[in-house]
């Protein structure tokens, strides 16, 4: 039913306009007590066997919403209502910014993909922190906060910019993510180099500890799929060295060649980060490499090209304790979370693993 609705309505709208319209409906539904209870029962059934512990946190399952959908923490309850076990908001920057000029979001329908060059459009860390502080949750998913660099801040001042956001947002974050991998902020990906990443992650860690003394706020870094294999290894080693809590693999890609894209050439040529199904293989490859390097010492989060329960299951077998999605939600609609959970429960039941935790990294360990 949703697929017909997508073709008749959303496909005819500008992608960003369609996003805002759908998100508005989700938020409105979450504000109506009886309706949200009914929708949560229908769209977010709980499976005891999928209960997950990660980053020192307990979740109903491993499946979460990737950063980028709810940039300003305005619809956390709505996304939980649709079955996301954790919701990662952002990317949030130190200062508010409008992002890049429109049009900046493109659908590659034939490839079940998106290209975006949003440019971290958000309300800024001060306003987002105030919104999180005043939130009265109806549902209680784990809430991650993804932070990035303000565009106008020069690269040499990036650490201070991230620290400012960390100090403001850490008190309200179940976990923090340092985003150094978006292709849409000039110079941002340069921060993935270990000589730049080490002082940045150390400073954010210190800021979170200084601001929140009653608990440890888990800290993760999100990396690009375009990193060379040796750079993936270097980030993995740095994460272990610094005692980082996790790595999110991966962000969008700037690659176009070799992905088998069949959409209109004018769309494929649009600049920005490509997400969705074409990213699947490389994202899985990076995840496998990370798990082979770090094992169970840190938590890995698999994201990029996850469309269905089989994709999510393959990420778990490759080493992901948590998985995230976004682009496929555009094409699958509100029953996506329900389908993922049902499929994961079925795969676990027919697998040789007693628990989901036992399955994490199993395929990589077999080949080690």
């Amino acid at each position: 039913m949703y697929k017909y609705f997508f073709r008749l309505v959303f496909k005819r709208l500008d992608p960003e306009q369609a996003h805002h319209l759908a998100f508005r409906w989700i938020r409105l539904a979450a504000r109506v007590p009886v309706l949200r209870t009914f929708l949560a029962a229908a769209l977010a059934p709980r499976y005891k066997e999928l209960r997950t512990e990660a980053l020192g946190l307990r979740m109903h399952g491993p499946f979460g919403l990737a950063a980028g959908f709810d940039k300003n923490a305005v619809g956390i309850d709505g996304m939980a209502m649709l079955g996301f076990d954790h919701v990662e908001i952002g990317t949030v920057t130190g200062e508010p910014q409008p992002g890049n000029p429109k049009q900046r979001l493109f659908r590659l329908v034939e490839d079940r993909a998106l290209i975006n060059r949003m440019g971290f459009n958000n309300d800024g860390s001060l306003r987002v922190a105030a919104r999180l502080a005043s939130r009265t949750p109806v549902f209680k998913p784990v809430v991650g906060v993804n932070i990035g660099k303000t565009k106008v801040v020069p690269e040499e001042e990036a650490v201070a910019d991230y620290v400012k956001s960390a100090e403001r947002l850490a008190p309200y974050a179940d976990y923090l993510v340092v985003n150094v991998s978006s292709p849409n902020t000039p110079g941002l990906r340069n921060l993935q180099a270990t000589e730049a990443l080490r002082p940045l992650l150390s400073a954010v860690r210190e800021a979170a500890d200084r601001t929140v003394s009653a608990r440890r706020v888990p800290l993760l870094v999100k990396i690009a799929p375009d990193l060379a294999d040796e750079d993936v290894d270097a980030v993995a080693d740095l994460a272990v060295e610094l005692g980082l809590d996790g790595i999110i693999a991966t962000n969008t890609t700037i690659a176009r060649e070799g992905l088998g894209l069949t959409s209109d050439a004018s769309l494929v040529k649009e600049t920005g980060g490509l997400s969705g199904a074409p990213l699947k293989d490389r994202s899985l490859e990076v995840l496998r490499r990370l798990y082979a390097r770090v094992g169970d010492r840190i938590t890995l989060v698999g994201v990029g090209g996850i469309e269905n329960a089989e994709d999510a299951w393959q990420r778990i077998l490759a080493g992901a304790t948590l998985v995230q999605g976004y682009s496929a939600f555009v094409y699958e609609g509100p029953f996506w979370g329900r389908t993922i959970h049902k499929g994961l429960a079925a795969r676990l039941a027919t697998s040789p693993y007693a628990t989901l935790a036992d399955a994490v990294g199993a395929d990589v360990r077999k080949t080690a």
Side-chain angles (χ1 to χ4, degrees):
M1 185 177 191
Y2 172 79
K3 293 182 179 179
Y4 290 110
F5 184 80
F6 174 82
R7 292 173 189 164
L8 291 173
V9 180
F10 284 153
K11 192 176 178 181
R12 299 171 186 268
L13 296 175
D14 169 82
E16 192 170 349
Q17 182 185 6
H19 169 84
H20 289 306
L21 179 62
F23 199 15
R24 189 177 303 119
W25 288 343
I26 293 168
R27 298 198 308 271
L28 287 172
R31 291 175 189 154
V32 182
V34 175
L35 179 60
R36 70 188 177 216
T37 301
F38 171 79
L39 289 175
L43 302 177
R46 305 301 187 192
Y47 294 86
K48 291 182 179 180
E49 61 269 36
L50 296 184
R51 288 176 182 170
T52 301
E53 290 193 17
L55 306 170
L57 305 164
R58 292 183 178 180
M59 309 182 200
H60 290 293
F63 185 56
L65 180 68
F69 194 95
D70 186 358
K71 296 178 181 295
N72 293 307
V74 295
I76 295 170
D77 283 328
M79 304 319 293
M81 178 186 71
L82 296 184
F84 292 101
D85 302 307
H86 66 276
V87 176
E88 190 171 308
I89 66 155
T91 296
V92 184
T93 55
E95 301 299 329
Q97 55 186 30
N100 292 322
K102 297 178 180 180
Q103 186 179 358
R104 54 194 183 182
L105 181 62
F106 306 87
R107 296 189 205 94
L108 279 63
V109 178
E110 292 81 3
D111 297 298
R112 296 178 63 80
L114 301 173
I115 291 175
N116 93 83
R117 52 172 180 264
M118 303 300 289
F120 290 168
N121 53 310
N122 73 103
D123 293 341
S125 56
L126 192 63
R127 288 182 63 187
V128 173
R131 190 170 292 129
L132 288 169
S134 63
R135 178 173 174 255
T136 303
V138 175
F139 302 103
K140 295 182 179 180
V142 164
V143 177
V145 178
N146 185 302
I147 60 175
K149 185 180 81 67
T150 306
K151 184 176 182 179
V152 297
V153 170
E155 194 175 323
E156 58 270 20
E157 298 175 20
V159 171
D161 191 53
Y162 278 92
V163 164
K164 176 166 59 178
S165 292
E167 289 174 340
R168 290 170 173 173
L169 292 163
Y172 315 108
D174 290 318
Y175 68 86
L176 273 175
V177 181
V178 170
N179 186 350
V180 288
S181 50
S182 169
N184 301 317
T185 296
L188 185 74
R189 286 190 167 194
N190 296 338
L191 298 174
Q192 291 180 110
T194 53
E195 61 269 19
L197 193 56
R198 178 180 281 103
L200 171 58
L201 293 174
S202 297
V204 173
R205 175 74 273 164
E206 291 170 6
D209 291 342
R210 183 172 61 250
T211 308
V212 185
S213 58
R215 62 184 174 96
R216 175 184 167 87
V217 180
L219 180 63
L220 299 83
V221 64
K222 187 169 186 175
I223 64 172
D226 307 310
L227 286 176
D229 286 347
E230 56 268 25
D231 293 325
V232 172
D233 293 344
V235 172
D237 293 344
L238 179 63
V240 173
E241 174 194 330
L242 297 180
L244 215 63
D245 297 278
I247 301 174
I248 299 180
T250 63
N251 211 320
T252 59
T253 181
I254 57 174
R256 300 291 187 271
E257 299 298 325
L259 297 177
L261 300 176
T262 61
S263 295
D264 183 270
S266 62
L267 284 176
V268 172
K269 290 178 181 177
E270 292 289 349
T271 59
L274 174 72
S275 62
L279 187 56
K280 188 177 304 185
D281 290 345
R282 176 56 182 167
S283 182
L284 182 59
E285 182 183 355
V286 171
L287 181 63
R288 287 180 179 275
R289 190 172 190 92
L290 285 169
Y291 187 79
R293 195 82 174 184
V294 305
D296 297 322
R297 289 178 289 178
I298 62 176
T299 297
L300 299 179
V301 183
V303 59
I306 294 176
E307 296 188 273
N308 49 48
E310 179 61 24
D311 293 334
W313 180 242
Q314 290 303 317
R315 300 305 168 93
I316 291 167
L317 294 176
T321 301
L322 301 175
V323 293
Q324 295 180 340
Y326 174 173
S327 297
F329 183 44
V330 173
Y331 298 108
E332 295 296 326
F335 283 90
W336 187 42
R338 176 190 176 96
T339 303
I340 294 281
H341 285 96
K342 183 178 180 181
L344 279 177
R347 281 160 177 78
L348 179 61
T350 57
S351 78
Y353 311 111
T355 68
L356 209 56
D358 292 337
V360 173
D363 277 1
V364 179
R365 291 195 298 271
K366 287 177 185 176
T367 60

